[in-house]
Amino acid sequence: MSFGDPNNPYGAPQGGQQPNYGYPQQQPQGQPGYGYPQAPPVSAGHGYPAAPTSMPGTVSTARVLLWVIVGLQLLGVALFAFSAVSVEAAKDDETLKDDAAFQQLADYSSGMLWGLVAFALVWGVIALVMALKVGSGGNGIRITTMVFAIITAILGLYPFIIVGLVHTVLAILVAVFVGNANGAAWYKRPRY
């Protein structure tokens, strides 16, 4: 047996090396060791993407649209109140008793006009609460906002067609922006 052949697997180690029997004595740096594969990093969301730390653009837009609805509701309250006061004052005017257009308007009772004032005011307060709760609300606020937006869109189509068209468009946009994946991630984020 000759130990001088460098290709001999049974020969003596060359250049002061130790024999490489079994597992290596020291793992090289930067390479994973033997055994189990390296696990992915643990996330707080149990496999879900991390929650957003800042409000997504679509949710921020929904908040702005809710503020626009609040402004339109206040404008509606002012117009309905002015109409109720004007109709009450004009019912006593003798010159308008023969005017058919005014009589059609006067057929609405002042109680109904004041009821519309109250409804517009309550609807504006609900929109105000939804706009204020966008930043801190949970999933319940998200669902409430979507229901509010859908009902607003329907009311904008049926009884208030002329002035409700703007409300319908705004409400549909709010429902879409709050109901999409970004909205769900924002409202379902953990709050500590």
Side-chain angles (χ1 to χ4, degrees):
M1 246 179 151
S2 167
F3 293 110
D5 185 14
N7 294 326
N8 184 359
Y10 301 107
Q14 302 290 324
Q17 294 178 351
Q18 295 188 2
N20 293 331
Y21 298 116
Y23 291 103
Q25 300 295 324
Q26 191 175 16
Q27 291 185 7
Q29 298 294 331
Q31 293 180 349
Y34 294 103
Y36 294 106
Q38 191 172 16
V42 178
S43 67
H46 304 289
Y48 295 107
T53 56
S54 64
M55 188 182 301
T58 55
V59 178
S60 180
T61 302
R63 183 194 318 200
V64 170
L65 295 177
L66 283 169
W67 282 110
V68 170
I69 290 174
V70 168
L72 290 174
Q73 288 302 115
L74 290 177
L75 183 65
V77 165
L79 288 176
F80 283 138
F82 178 74
S83 297
V85 169
S86 297
V87 167
E88 278 298 314
K91 279 185 178 180
D92 297 333
D93 189 6
E94 293 294 326
T95 60
L96 294 174
K97 296 250 187 217
D98 296 331
D99 188 8
F102 175 74
Q103 289 304 319
Q104 186 179 10
L105 180 65
D107 286 342
Y108 292 115
S109 68
S110 61
M112 184 180 141
L113 289 173
W114 285 112
L116 287 174
V117 169
F119 177 75
L121 185 62
V122 167
W123 209 251
V125 168
I126 294 171
L128 175 72
V129 170
M130 295 298 114
L132 290 173
K133 290 289 188 175
V134 167
S136 63
N139 197 38
I141 295 295
R142 174 181 170 253
I143 292 170
T144 305
T145 303
M146 288 190 328
V147 169
F148 169 79
I150 291 168
I151 292 173
T152 301
I154 292 170
L155 288 175
L157 287 177
Y158 176 59
F160 308 108
I161 293 175
I162 295 170
V163 295
L165 187 60
V166 174
H167 274 75
T168 300
V169 171
L170 294 175
I172 289 172
L173 289 173
V174 167
V176 167
F177 290 157
V178 170
N180 67 11
N182 288 338
W186 175 252
Y187 283 100
K188 292 180 182 178
R189 75 193 185 284
R191 285 168 216 54
Y192 302 108

